[in-house]
Amino acid sequence: MSWTIQSYSTDVEKLLLEESLFFTGNGYIGVRGNLEENNLHPPNTIRGAYVNGFYDDVPISYGEKMYAFPETQQKSLNITDTQTMEIWLGEGEWREKFSLQEGKVISYVRSLYVDKGYTERNIQWQSLSGHEIIINIKRLASFTTKNLFVQCMTLKPISGDIPIQVVSKLDGNVHNFIDPTDPRVGHDGEKRLAITRMEHVDDANYIELQTSKSNLSVATLTDLSVDNSDVSYEYSKDDTSFTTTATFLLTETTKIEKRTFFADSIRYDHLANTLVNLKSELASTSFEKIKNEQQTYLLDFWSRADICIKGDRKLQKAIRFNLFHILQSTGQDGISNIAAKGLSGEGYEGHYFWDTEIYLLPIFIMTDPDVAKKLLLYRYSILSHAKERAIEMGHKQGALFPWRTISGTECSSFFPAGTAQYHISADIAHSYIQYYLATNDLKFMKRAGAEVLIETARLWIDAGHYYDNSFRIDAVTGPDEYTCIVNNNYYTNVMAKQNLQWAVKVCHLLQKSDETFWEAFKERLTITEKELISFKCAAESMYLPIDKDLYINPQDDTFLQKKKWDFTNVPKEHYPLLLHYHPLTIYRYQVCKQADTVLAHLLIEEEQSEKVMKNSFHYYEKITSHDSSLSSCVFSMMAARIGCLEKAYNYFIQSASLDLDNTQGNTKDGLHMANMGGTWMGIVVGFAGMRLKESGLHFRPQLPKQWEEYSFHLQYQNRILRFTVSKADFHIELLKGSPLSIYVWGKEVIVNKYNAISMS
Ligand code: BGC
């Protein structure tokens, strides 16, 4: 049962939440878990379907627009609604529509099978006039045919024969959800998609929509089939939607299948042809077969990514739930990425943030490097925008990646907590470095990584300056969005330092391994020896603030001079603070929305002593509100690192069930992808203490006392390894590849086939 998430609730508020929790996606499309019977209306429902990376350009209106403020932003669009499949029972004036809110629900359960890759609703229901029926609806977004979303319904009569009508709709009259009171949700309610083509083709309904500004199209083709020889179909259409009505007498269990195919003009040239061909290619493939293929795909996924925890079933379920939704949201085509809410909802308008690099890429780097490569290639594909943005922002050179984006340009209209987060460029560089350390894939560094490292390093040279013999970076914002536009944010400086060091290293690697390539690369990017020296010097002289009295790293130059936030007198309902205080009020205090310096210590531990890391953890813990969902998991991992295992466990629990328990109160707007990634990291990086370093793979395994054992697989430089941490020992199995050295608590261990290291 730890592979199944279930809900028995028909409560309207819970159903809204479950639209995110039970969404169906495959990295290309995402369909919220809305009800087929379509009887709820906003704000009780956020009906939605999305194509990863499909957007419109939306003008940003400012009261006072300053130089280089972005004029437009991209917005992921809610596309054609295909989910409706109403079930009508009876005839004439006794005709009644199935709804969980009317009639009598005899039994109800909704399930998500993360091992099989589909969701299901099972309902036994009685209408007011006494018809009783069992309804089963399965839904899946196919991982093997990414364009396909299927709803497979079976109806079983309980109270004799029942006249039935299934009314299936395809609706092109769509717009996005808005919430003007929450800056994390869109507030542009304009209709951005217009119907450009509507056709009934080949017994299927086709709608093509075009965006108003970005000039992109998305197409949807859907058909309905009923496994009953006496069915009659009726097709109708109005200005914006198609309706297909299937009428039959339900005498025995009957299957009704609705297939919907999606395609968009970013990826395909001839949308209608593409979809008609896909439909016919799959015409003879049964739902059972599609379902089996889905399961095979997931078997492979879980063989690489699963984390097993013995001794805590609830947590086990939560971790698998999180990993499954990450998979469902991950763009794997090099032109899309992982939005902050994945493909589960509209929060943060479908934008890609640093969330991917710091919280999600580690999973793929260590379990499926091919997918990691695709995510990195997406960043490479927007490098030219990042270079243009650097120039626009007054730099002479370099790449400044956008804080939030879909197609590559900056979408943040609030620059203090947006564009000012320059660290995103170093975060991206960091993920290329991590990928290289895990794979040794120099070919990929030649193709993309080296260029990204050079261009991001150039940004730091231009953004920073020397003062008092050290290299400093002024007027930036670190990850903590409650402290903005500061000088020498520790996180930014230490990440920039790594970026600069690796820009030099990668050049040496290229030079050593392929002189011809290096010469051409050097010329193309106009890299000079002088420039490499400037990278090296800036890295060596990077100013990393340290407070000699507290013996911690101050978050920035003035952070410790501020007054501390008075947590004791802030009512509970005033969190998150960003919804209740003007930013300036917040900026005047020592109060952190999320891990900042603590995260820097997690990512780069070599720069500080154990004592500074410990002191910093305890200092920042007291002033962090964790208003960002990206926070608890980092505190969990660092608590484990400094030996506070109980604390690590408590933070981990908060992070693992954040969406399942809706602890941030906004899961209805979409799942918190970075936090979900943070739970995988919580175990592998937190409790097992994995670090990827130039010297190899390092571990500091620990076992929370609440568990009997946990285990996971990692891929490392063409090897597959399985790690198990139990009360007795830490054992490592080399499942594929040649022997290697790893480091456990700093001691070198040669892994041949099987090694067990005592935990005591
Ligand atoms: C966090 C950012 C994060 C964004 C998207 C914000 O609340 O402060 O760090 O990138 O959410 O998840």
Side-chain angles (χ1 to χ4, degrees):
M1 285 306 276
S2 56
W3 297 96
T4 309
I5 314 301
Q6 288 190 310
S7 166
Y8 299 90
S9 178
T10 58
D11 176 71
V12 171
E13 218 173 289
K14 196 76 201 297
L15 288 172
L16 174 61
L17 187 68
E18 288 179 8
E19 293 177 357
S20 300
L21 298 177
F22 288 80
F23 99 95
T24 317
N26 58 20
Y28 176 54
I29 51 173
V31 183
R32 279 173 67 81
N34 304 115
L35 306 180
E36 274 77 9
E37 53 273 28
N38 192 7
N39 62 317
L40 301 174
H41 304 287
N44 290 330
T45 181
I46 303 171
R47 247 178 128 74
Y50 318 98
V51 160
N52 200 351
F54 182 78
Y55 67 93
D56 197 14
D57 291 310
V58 178
I60 306 179
S61 60
Y62 297 94
E64 293 165 65
K65 184 177 168 296
M66 311 294 276
Y67 182 76
F69 277 23
E71 286 176 9
T72 57
Q73 62 166 210
Q74 298 110 46
K75 183 186 179 78
S76 159
L77 296 183
N78 172 27
I79 59 169
T80 335
D81 182 2
T82 186
Q83 298 190 59
T84 305
M85 287 174 85
E86 298 166 0
I87 306 164
W88 293 81
L89 295 83
E91 280 170 315
E93 60 179 302
W94 298 108
R95 203 167 160 260
E96 281 174 77
K97 185 173 135 179
F98 156 70
S99 149
L100 288 172
Q101 279 67 46
E102 280 156 45
K104 186 174 170 198
V105 178
I106 298 164
S107 68
Y108 175 77
V109 58
R110 170 149 39 180
S111 314
L112 162 63
Y113 304 103
V114 299
D115 53 342
K116 303 190 180 91
Y118 68 89
T119 62
E120 179 177 59
R121 287 197 298 151
N122 236 313
I123 312 133
Q124 185 157 355
W125 186 76
Q126 196 181 58
S127 71
L128 288 176
S129 51
H131 291 301
E132 199 174 319
I133 191 170
I134 293 180
I135 304 167
N136 176 282
I137 309 167
K138 297 184 177 63
R139 305 171 148 218
L140 65 79
S142 166
F143 281 105
T144 45
T145 306
K146 297 261 166 140
N147 314 70
L148 174 65
F149 169 66
V150 192
Q151 290 156 285
C152 182
M153 181 187 270
T154 55
L155 302 180
K156 181 177 175 191
I158 300 294
S159 56
D161 299 350
I162 312 173
I164 292 281
Q165 283 197 320
V166 173
V167 179
S168 163
K169 292 196 175 145
L170 183 68
D171 189 355
N173 182 15
V174 280
H175 52 81
N176 282 63
F177 178 76
I178 50 164
D179 182 350
T181 64
D182 191 338
R184 298 164 299 181
V185 181
H187 46 264
D188 161 70
E190 227 170 273
K191 218 163 156 326
R192 310 221 145 261
L193 285 167
I195 298 176
T196 46
R197 198 166 156 187
M198 259 184 101
E199 263 168 55
H200 184 71
V201 266
D202 198 14
D203 276 347
N205 296 321
Y206 179 83
I207 295 185
E208 197 171 307
L209 302 172
Q210 195 180 30
T211 60
S212 54
K213 293 274 181 325
S214 61
N215 212 14
L216 298 174
S217 298
V218 64
T220 314
L221 179 82
T222 188
D223 75 343
L224 184 80
S225 60
V226 180
D227 204 0
N228 181 311
S229 50
D230 282 333
V231 65
S232 70
Y233 294 98
E234 202 184 296
Y235 300 99
S236 67
K237 157 179 187 261
D238 62 21
D239 287 350
T240 56
S241 66
F242 282 107
T243 302
T244 302
T245 305
T247 306
F248 53 96
L249 185 67
L250 185 71
T251 55
E252 57 183 0
T253 303
T254 300
K255 195 169 106 191
I256 301 120
E257 206 181 304
K258 183 173 184 179
R259 292 186 180 185
T260 306
F261 298 88
F262 296 93
D264 68 278
S265 62
I266 304 173
R267 296 160 175 94
Y268 300 93
D269 285 335
H270 305 286
L271 299 185
N273 284 352
T274 304
L275 296 188
V276 169
N277 290 343
L278 271 169
K279 176 178 163 297
S280 57
E281 270 164 35
L282 286 179
S284 57
T285 309
S286 67
F287 178 68
E288 277 312 306
K289 179 138 192 268
I290 294 171
K291 202 155 71 73
N292 289 343
E293 281 172 10
Q294 187 86 337
Q295 191 166 355
T296 309
Y297 183 95
L298 281 154
L299 206 66
D300 176 57
F301 169 72
W302 290 114
S303 73
R304 281 175 284 110
D306 190 25
I307 290 190
C308 288
I309 297 184
K310 286 198 186 150
D312 194 332
R313 295 245 325 231
K314 185 171 177 241
L315 197 64
Q316 173 71 79
K317 229 187 241 200
I319 286 165
R320 289 186 173 145
F321 171 83
N322 291 348
L323 281 168
F324 177 71
H325 279 311
I326 290 171
L327 177 72
Q328 290 207 110
S329 294
T330 301
Q332 299 191 14
D333 51 14
I335 49 175
S336 58
N337 205 271
I338 311 172
K341 304 287 183 188
L343 293 164
S344 68
E346 295 174 20
Y348 289 119
E349 309 193 61
H351 293 161
Y352 312 136
F353 292 72
W354 70 314
D355 304 32
T356 303
E357 278 71 23
I358 300 302
Y359 294 82
L360 293 151
L361 254 163
I363 306 175
F364 293 105
I365 286 175
M366 298 309 294
T367 63
D368 195 345
D370 284 340
V371 174
K373 210 151 83 174
K374 289 286 166 52
L375 291 165
L376 293 168
L377 276 176
Y378 160 78
R379 288 297 189 188
Y380 185 63
S381 77
I382 62 166
L383 179 63
S384 58
H385 288 295
K387 285 167 67 180
E388 279 163 25
R389 180 68 176 153
I391 302 289
E392 191 179 28
M393 288 297 294
H395 301 295
K396 287 190 275 318
Q397 57 172 8
L400 173 59
F401 280 92
W403 175 241
R404 47 194 293 178
T405 191
I406 296 177
S407 69
T409 58
E410 178 62 88
C411 290
S412 167
S413 54
F414 184 59
F415 78 92
T419 299
Q421 296 204 47
Y422 270 43
H423 66 85
I424 188 164
S425 289
D427 302 333
I428 291 169
H430 176 78
S431 61
Y432 276 94
I433 298 164
Q434 293 279 299
Y435 171 83
Y436 176 70
L437 290 176
T439 59
N440 258 340
D441 185 354
L442 197 58
K443 207 166 136 204
F444 185 67
M445 295 311 269
K446 284 181 179 169
R447 179 176 171 198
E451 193 172 341
V452 170
L453 286 171
I454 298 291
E455 295 297 355
T456 45
R458 283 176 171 165
L459 174 78
W460 303 118
I461 294 297
D462 198 83
H465 67 107
Y466 282 93
Y467 173 75
D468 207 12
N469 291 327
S470 56
F471 192 80
R472 295 166 185 242
I473 302 169
D474 295 335
V476 296
T477 297
D480 167 32
E481 296 183 353
Y482 284 174
T483 311
C484 289
I485 317 187
V486 295
N487 296 344
N488 297 306
N489 166 252
Y490 177 83
Y491 178 94
T492 307
N493 286 18
V494 84
M495 294 293 282
K497 176 173 178 173
Q498 186 194 45
N499 190 165
L500 289 157
Q501 285 169 330
W502 270 86
V504 178
K505 259 180 216 171
V506 81
C507 288
H508 290 159
L509 273 169
L510 297 181
Q511 190 172 11
K512 245 176 54 193
S513 64
D514 188 342
E515 186 73 34
T516 325
F517 175 86
W518 163 245
E519 288 302 327
F521 178 75
K522 192 170 76 170
E523 202 179 308
R524 182 165 71 83
L525 269 79
T526 59
I527 302 167
T528 61
E529 201 48 42
K530 196 168 150 219
E531 180 172 42
L532 294 184
I533 292 171
S534 76
F535 289 172
K536 186 167 173 281
C537 291
E540 279 167 3
S541 330
M542 185 65 74
Y543 174 62
L544 300 177
I546 183 141
D547 184 275
K548 293 274 164 33
D549 299 325
L550 295 168
Y551 217 56
I552 64 168
N553 292 121
Q555 196 168 296
D556 58 70
D557 280 357
T558 57
F559 189 81
L560 298 179
Q561 297 163 19
K562 293 178 184 170
K563 211 169 145 181
K564 283 194 182 146
W565 183 261
D566 178 11
F567 282 93
T568 47
N569 286 315
V570 174
K572 247 192 169 152
E573 60 278 12
H574 279 193
Y575 293 95
L577 301 177
L578 68 107
L579 297 185
H580 299 93
Y581 299 88
H582 188 279
L584 280 177
T585 309
I586 299 174
Y587 298 167
R588 286 195 184 105
Y589 290 87
Q590 286 189 48
V591 56
C592 302
K593 182 182 180 191
Q594 62 205 102
D596 192 296
T597 311
V598 174
L599 175 58
H601 292 161
L602 179 76
L603 301 179
I604 301 179
E605 59 183 22
E606 294 71 23
E607 295 289 349
Q608 298 305 329
S609 65
E610 297 288 316
K611 196 165 164 204
V612 168
M613 290 199 285
K614 253 188 202 166
N615 289 350
S616 301
F617 177 92
H618 294 303
Y619 187 87
Y620 290 106
E621 189 187 21
K622 292 193 192 77
I623 52 169
T624 302
S625 67
H626 306 290
D627 281 351
S628 162
S629 64
L630 280 66
S631 196
S632 303
C633 58
V634 176
F635 275 84
S636 168
M637 290 182 263
M638 270 314 281
R641 174 66 183 80
I642 61 169
C644 300
L645 201 54
E646 194 59 27
K647 212 169 239 193
Y649 179 79
N650 292 335
Y651 278 118
F652 180 76
I653 296 293
Q654 285 172 32
S655 159
S657 51
L658 186 140
D659 279 310
L660 275 172
D661 294 346
N662 190 22
T663 55
Q664 295 259 327
N666 63 350
T667 292
K668 69 167 183 18
D669 298 317
L671 304 170
H672 299 77
M673 285 294 140
N675 171 71
M676 288 181 148
T679 50
W680 180 93
M681 289 178 74
I683 295 195
V684 176
V685 179
F687 296 121
M690 186 212 78
R691 299 288 186 280
L692 256 178
K693 300 189 182 183
E694 275 181 276
S695 50
L697 260 184
H698 291 245
F699 291 89
R700 304 164 75 97
Q702 301 177 78
L703 181 73
K705 67 172 187 303
Q706 291 82 351
W707 303 344
E708 286 157 31
E709 176 183 300
Y710 62 91
S711 56
F712 53 87
H713 290 84
L714 297 181
Q715 296 195 20
Y716 177 70
Q717 299 185 352
N718 291 321
R719 299 174 182 90
I720 299 178
L721 295 139
R722 182 181 154 84
F723 300 87
T724 308
V725 182
S726 69
K727 288 196 166 81
D729 60 21
F730 173 48
H731 58 259
I732 311 142
E733 291 156 77
L734 178 63
L735 304 179
K736 195 188 132 199
S738 53
L740 80 161
S741 287
I742 64 165
Y743 296 85
V744 181
W745 292 103
K747 264 180 67 187
E748 187 172 359
V749 176
I750 314 281
V751 181
N752 284 308
K753 204 90 213 112
Y754 180 94
N755 294 60
I757 297 143
S758 167
M759 287 288 280
S760 51

